[in-house]
Amino acid sequence: MAATTAHERPGTTAAGRLGALARAELTLLVRNRTSLFVTLLMPLLMVGSIGTSVDRIGAEKSGLTLLEAVMTGGVGMVLVIVVYLNLVPAYVARREELVLKRLRTGEATDPEILAGTALPSVALTLAQCLIMVGAAVAFLDVRAPRRPELLVAGVLVGIVLLAALAAVTAGLTRTVESAQLTTMPLFLVSAFGSGLFVPLEVFPERVQDVCALLPVTGVVQLVRAGWLGGGDPGELVRAAVTALAWTAVSVFAVRRWFRWEPRH
């Protein structure tokens, strides 16, 4: 067998490329104090706001205890903040700095570039969800997840959905600064219409039917059913179908319209 010449190099693996992209993105995240605040501290502040909101309307109206409403809403809030709110400016910044354009000239595929950028946020999301569930069960006398498979499925689908929605929103966002505006519609709609701040059960039935079709609602319903148990099988199927449908539409939109070049 002929010896390998000095100019021949073995190709990198997908795992190696993802790891390198994730390490670079984590370094940038740690250096950016604003992003670090959004990722680590803002979810805790929002959980406190959820408690105040639920306490005012009365948790008993939703059939949940105050802690159950706060903790299940808190998991959804972690998903929205750490994945969506953090990734939109990250994608925009890398695009405007020509990082994405340069990465496309290498071996990494488009999905690998987007996934590698998202990996630190995904890891932090999983860690915060685990800590939240563990702390609630160990110290706050909240019951352990009744159907952990549903809870895990809800979190994983939520991560993919919100990462895809972040990429879609980034395509519509001109600058990092304007990301604060372009992310607000989904954040507010999810916070008040998907059961994060206010359980849907307190709304009139027609409003509940409309809110059930929102992107994050299905994820929140799966998380709640997984943690607290119960839930009508038909409603759980509808929640799963809604979440997966939004995920498929979002992934299609990213493949079709994501912008890799700076917006001028």
Side-chain angles (χ1 to χ4, degrees), residues 71-72 75 132-133 136 142-146 223-229:
M71 301 314 295
T72 52
V75 171
M132 186 175 295
V133 173
V142 176
R143 48 189 161 177
R146 298 293 183 88
V223 168
R224 180 175 294 172
W227 196 337
L228 305 179

Side-chain angles (χ1 to χ4, degrees), residues 20-103:
L21 289 169
R23 286 192 297 273
E25 191 63 36
L26 181 60
T27 300
L28 293 172
L29 176 63
V30 172
R31 292 176 179 175
N32 189 323
R33 293 183 179 179
T34 301
S35 295
L36 205 59
F37 169 79
V38 170
T39 302
L40 298 179
L41 297 181
M42 191 173 175
L44 297 177
L45 298 177
M46 289 296 100
V47 168
S49 300
I50 292 172
T52 302
S53 175
V54 175
D55 188 40
R56 286 178 178 175
I57 64 170
E60 66 279 355
K61 294 181 181 180
S62 64
L64 306 173
T65 68
L66 177 61
L67 279 176
E68 288 173 345
V70 169
M71 301 314 295
T72 52
V75 171
M77 190 59 68
V78 168
L79 290 168
V80 172
I81 292 175
V82 182
V83 178
Y84 181 71
L85 292 188
N86 189 51
L87 276 183
V88 173
Y91 284 139
V92 173
R94 307 301 170 262
R95 182 193 69 210
E96 296 302 309
E97 294 165 357
L98 300 178
V99 173
L100 299 182
K101 184 177 181 179
R102 288 195 296 269
L103 287 173

Side-chain angles (χ1 to χ4, degrees), residues 28-262:
L28 293 172
L29 176 63
V30 172
R31 292 176 179 175
N32 189 323
R33 293 183 179 179
T34 301
S35 295
L36 205 59
F37 169 79
V38 170
T39 302
L40 298 179
L41 297 181
M42 191 173 175
L44 297 177
L45 298 177
M46 289 296 100
V47 168
S49 300
I50 292 172
T52 302
S53 175
V54 175
D55 188 40
R56 286 178 178 175
I57 64 170
E60 66 279 355
K61 294 181 181 180
S62 64
L64 306 173
T65 68
L66 177 61
L67 279 176
E68 288 173 345
V70 169
M71 301 314 295
T72 52
V75 171
M77 190 59 68
V78 168
L79 290 168
V80 172
I81 292 175
V82 182
V83 178
Y84 181 71
L85 292 188
N86 189 51
L87 276 183
V88 173
Y91 284 139
V92 173
R94 307 301 170 262
R95 182 193 69 210
E96 296 302 309
E97 294 165 357
L98 300 178
V99 173
L100 299 182
K101 184 177 181 179
R102 288 195 296 269
L103 287 173
R104 295 187 86 196
T105 63
E107 295 182 351
T109 64
D110 290 352
E112 288 173 355
I113 293 171
L114 296 177
T117 304
L119 275 179
S121 295
V122 171
L124 289 171
T125 297
L126 293 174
Q128 291 194 37
C129 288
L130 284 172
I131 292 171
M132 186 175 295
V133 173
V137 173
F139 303 111
L140 300 179
D141 199 28
V142 176
R143 48 189 161 177
R146 298 293 183 88
R147 298 190 60 184
E149 75 281 2
L150 282 180
L151 176 59
V152 171
V155 170
L156 294 180
V157 172
I159 287 173
V160 177
L161 168 61
L162 288 162
L165 286 172
V168 173
T169 306
L172 304 173
T173 306
R174 297 185 64 86
T175 65
V176 174
E177 292 75 18
S178 63
Q180 299 178 24
L181 298 177
T182 57
T183 56
M184 276 300 102
L186 180 66
F187 175 76
L188 293 176
V189 165
S190 299
F192 296 102
S194 293
L196 301 184
F197 273 85
V198 181
L200 297 186
E201 290 80 2
V202 305
F203 294 133
E205 187 174 347
R206 290 185 179 180
V207 176
Q208 292 184 41
D209 292 339
V210 173
C211 290
L213 300 176
L214 296 175
V216 183
T217 302
V219 171
V220 174
Q221 290 175 332
L222 290 174
V223 168
R224 180 175 294 172
W227 196 337
L228 305 179
D232 179 76
E235 292 181 357
L236 293 179
V237 170
R238 286 193 293 271
V241 169
T242 301
L244 292 174
W246 275 106
T247 302
V249 170
S250 301
V251 170
F252 172 80
V254 173
R255 293 174 62 89
R256 187 72 180 271
W257 293 296
F258 184 77
R259 297 179 65 95
W260 299 91
E261 302 279 347

